[in-house]
Amino acid sequence: HVYVRGEAGAGLASGDSFWAVEGDATLLDAGMLVRPRLAGTAGALDGTLEVDLSSLVGDRLERLGGGGAIPGVGPATGARDLFDLRWTASEGRRHRTVVRVDRLSVRYSADWGAVSVGRQAVTWGGGLVFNSFDLFNPFAPSDVVRDFKVGADMVYVDVPLRDGGLQVLAVGRRDLFSGEATLDAASFAALYKRRVGAWEGALMLAEHYGEPVAGVGLDGALGEAVWHVDGTWVRVRPDLPGGGDPEGYFSAVANVQYAWILGGKNAYGFVEYYYNGLGTTDYPSAYRDPIRLTQLARGNVFVLGRHFAAVSVQLEWHPLLHLYFGALANLEDPSGLLQPRVWWDASEHVRMIFGLDVPFGARGMEFGGFRLPAVEGMTRSPARAYVLATVEF
């Protein structure tokens, strides 16, 4: 089995943006991800191997000095991985190619449950755009293609129980500064789920980077709609040496999903609210705060503000053609990101996506762009049009 994803995009950055050097800038870029997969079974054992060959070329990579994101390889990987299974095959001012083993695990299944050892992906929580429960290489809120989550090196145990289940895991990592595998860089977590009638509750307890985490989740039905709420408390110790005292904060996600018929066509939508207890309206100060920098670097927080909303509407115009409109917004600014797109299943194995990413908001707002002392230009992201194709065979 092989998965291939190619993407080409064009962005327009305003003249006062970090992305523009002189005047307005048009940013052209392209990327490709080739992901072969091997799987096998021997009795009660199942093995999986998946390798990412990712390439990126273009103006965005050049603006970031070679440090831009590679498709399929997120910011939480690399230096923190317990096992060094990533190689830079080619790198230059405007291009970079990386090879990374993203899945390498063995799963043992028995009557009582299953245990998996190796590099794999686990997602907890019911957030659809934001997910405070998901501590292990979560997706960014702006990610619209979520075919693969970045894998982590872990031991994972799944035990189904009557009307629920228990999941326990341990994630190994290396310290960001020493490069050594330490307990302070690891995660140990347990999630217990229990269904009572039409409601399902979840309790999460974890030690994440040597720090306590507790979470409670609940979901149920509201007429023909489905709702979910997660609340998480984290006590963060800054990664930076001499970064200050630990600080606790609370975050929460609540959403409602609903499906209906619109003009004889299937439609689906959701509304989600996110509360970030680390939020602030003084955005430049966030990059001087060790607690916020630590959470941003770990991928546990992706935004700077406190109150956010996300909406998404999907219309099945044709069984092979789906229209989407998505948006997320900082409610205090307000500013945000509009993400309309079209998904077309061109054949049994080929999917095409045509989309736009359009930030909105005045200067000084989170998505409108603000100035950092060490950065030339505003932080406002370029408006971008892209076409993306995935092929599986």
Side-chain angles (χ1 to χ4, degrees):
H1 180 83
V2 179
Y3 172 93
V4 180
R5 184 169 76 215
E7 180 177 355
L12 180 63
S14 58
D16 61 353
S17 168
F18 156 80
W19 298 94
V21 178
E22 294 181 1
D24 290 355
T26 300
L27 307 176
L28 303 177
D29 54 81
M32 176 169 286
L33 170 66
V34 180
R35 186 182 177 102
R37 180 180 188 270
L38 298 175
T41 301
L45 297 177
D46 297 283
T48 300
L49 170 64
E50 299 182 34
V51 180
D52 286 346
L53 171 61
S54 305
S55 294
L56 184 67
V57 59
D59 297 322
R60 286 192 300 168
L61 189 63
E62 181 181 6
R63 294 290 195 276
L64 291 170
I70 289 288
V73 181
T77 66
R80 292 192 187 272
D81 284 341
L82 182 61
F83 298 105
D84 186 9
L85 302 178
R86 171 173 167 156
W87 304 270
T88 300
S90 176
E91 188 170 25
R93 184 173 58 90
R94 293 175 51 82
H95 74 276
R96 184 152 54 104
T97 300
V98 173
V99 180
R100 181 178 186 269
V101 177
D102 191 56
R103 300 285 192 275
L104 180 58
S105 64
V106 175
R107 176 184 176 93
Y108 171 75
S109 300
D111 293 339
W112 56 265
V115 57
S116 302
V117 180
R119 182 162 292 179
Q120 54 197 301
V122 173
T123 298
W124 288 351
L128 302 173
V129 175
F130 301 91
N131 196 341
S132 61
F133 246 54
D134 194 7
L135 305 176
F136 319 110
N137 295 349
F139 289 107
S142 58
D143 290 338
V144 296
V145 180
R146 303 189 177 196
D147 294 341
F148 300 103
K149 187 180 182 185
V150 175
D153 300 315
M154 71 175 73
V155 177
Y156 172 66
V157 180
D158 185 10
V159 182
L161 301 173
R162 182 179 179 181
D163 297 325
L166 175 66
Q167 300 171 29
V168 180
L169 60 79
V171 179
R173 301 188 192 88
R174 295 184 178 274
D175 181 82
L176 188 61
F177 297 97
S178 70
E180 299 295 325
T182 65
L183 290 178
D184 279 349
S187 293
F188 305 91
L191 178 70
Y192 173 69
K193 289 186 174 183
R194 177 67 183 272
R195 178 164 290 280
V196 179
W199 289 23
E200 183 177 78
L203 173 64
M204 177 183 66
L205 296 174
E207 184 179 88
H208 188 50
Y209 290 93
E211 304 154 0
V213 180
V216 176
L218 189 65
D219 64 35
L222 182 65
E224 297 183 355
V226 177
W227 59 267
H228 186 94
V229 177
D230 284 334
T232 311
W233 180 86
V234 184
R235 185 168 175 82
V236 184
R237 182 183 64 241
D239 274 342
L240 301 174
D245 297 328
E247 178 180 330
Y249 76 97
F250 176 76
S251 59
V253 174
N255 57 55
V256 178
Q257 307 173 58
Y258 183 67
W260 70 99
I261 302 298
L262 180 63
K265 302 181 183 300
N266 295 324
Y268 161 83
F270 66 81
V271 178
E272 183 168 273
Y273 167 75
Y274 171 62
Y275 172 77
N276 172 24
L278 286 180
T280 179
T281 55
D282 184 1
Y283 306 126
S285 72
Y287 287 90
R288 298 189 295 269
D289 178 70
I291 295 291
R292 292 183 175 89
L293 282 176
T294 295
Q295 291 298 80
L296 288 167
R298 292 176 184 173
N300 294 135
V301 173
F302 290 90
V303 289
L304 303 177
R306 187 175 297 268
H307 300 282
F308 291 84
V311 297
S312 179
V313 178
Q314 171 188 347
L315 180 65
E316 187 184 86
W317 191 262
H318 181 275
L320 302 180
L321 187 68
H322 293 244
L323 310 180
Y324 291 79
F325 174 78
L328 59 96
N330 181 322
L331 297 177
E332 293 182 285
D333 279 331
S335 66
L337 180 66
L338 303 178
Q339 296 184 296
R341 57 198 183 276
V342 176
W343 290 47
W344 172 41
D345 290 316
S347 73
E348 181 181 356
H349 302 287
V350 179
R351 169 172 288 172
M352 303 289 296
I353 303 174
F354 306 89
L356 297 172
D357 289 337
V358 183
F360 66 88
R363 299 298 189 263
M365 298 180 178
E366 179 165 2
F367 292 91
F370 53 91
R371 191 174 298 277
L372 293 173
V375 176
E376 182 180 350
M378 307 288 282
T379 60
R380 183 184 181 97
S381 297
R384 184 170 180 265
Y386 62 89
V387 57
L388 186 150
T390 63
V391 181
E392 294 189 66
F393 56 89

